[in-house]
Amino acid sequence: MKTMNVESFNLDHTKVKAPFVRIADVKHLPAGDVLTKYDVRFSQPNKGHLEMTAVHSIEHSFAECVRNHSDAVIDFGPMGCQTGFYLIMVGEPDVPATCQLVEQTFRDILTLDSVPAANEVQCGWGTHHSLTGAQDAIRGMLAHRDEWEQVMAQA
């Protein structure tokens, strides 16, 4: 298959085993800064997906809560396929530390009683949320915490 410009288009999605956290890209910028993009995958590609209300609520909750633990976070955004998110951080890749940060943030989200900024003043679709859906998906991820660093399915 021809190599494509988008890293995830070069990943054989039939060979991965979700959930996982993996390095999707590393950019060394001209001024010396490093950006690392992590693939935080909840669902097995082409087999399952997150509901959009859960995706939206995970995005809001994670984006707000993670910044209580790290100043290195640039962005946390959903994948269009609804199977996970991209976490972009300043700094050299460190999967174990990033997994700890993700776990800590997920545990914070489980304690929330509302989705941050889920209203029409702070959000473009303030009613399109499900905290319950988000927390259920996060519980599923945390149930497999010890497997997050294993990206590829065992042969």
Side-chain angles (χ1 to χ4, degrees):
M1 194 162 40
K2 177 186 161 207
T3 300
M4 301 192 74
N5 294 323
V6 178
E7 183 278 338
S8 66
F9 295 167
N10 297 308
L11 175 68
D12 186 340
H13 287 69
T14 66
K15 296 203 178 347
V16 299
K17 181 186 157 294
F20 58 79
V21 175
R22 73 177 185 94
I23 298 166
D25 198 10
V26 178
K27 297 283 187 208
H28 292 87
L29 304 179
D33 294 314
V34 177
L35 296 179
T36 302
K37 179 169 82 171
Y38 295 92
D39 173 341
V40 180
R41 193 71 62 135
F42 277 68
S43 299
Q44 185 63 31
N46 299 298
K47 304 288 183 194
H49 68 277
L50 299 167
E51 293 301 319
M52 277 309 298
T53 53
V55 168
H56 196 187
S57 296
I58 293 168
E59 176 204 11
H60 273 234
S61 301
F62 194 97
E64 179 63 20
C65 292
V66 73
R67 287 171 171 90
N68 293 328
H69 306 295
S70 176
D71 292 330
V73 175
I74 300 295
D75 192 30
F76 183 76
M79 296 175 180
C81 60
Q82 298 172 229
T83 62
F85 299 82
Y86 287 116
L87 172 61
I88 301 171
M89 299 184 66
V90 172
E92 292 290 341
D94 186 342
V95 174
T98 300
C99 285
Q100 288 178 323
L101 176 65
V102 169
E103 177 182 4
Q104 187 175 30
T105 303
F106 283 170
R107 294 198 184 284
D108 289 350
I109 294 169
L110 292 179
T111 69
L112 295 177
D113 56 12
S114 64
V115 176
N119 59 70
E120 63 184 38
V121 173
Q122 297 173 294
C123 177
W125 195 359
T127 61
H128 191 250
H129 286 276
S130 173
L131 180 60
T132 302
Q135 290 172 330
D136 287 347
I138 286 167
R139 281 187 200 94
M141 275 289 284
L142 288 171
H144 296 277
R145 170 60 178 95
D146 61 336
E147 302 165 27
W148 286 2
E149 294 181 54
Q150 179 188 330
V151 176
M152 305 310 277
Q154 298 292 351

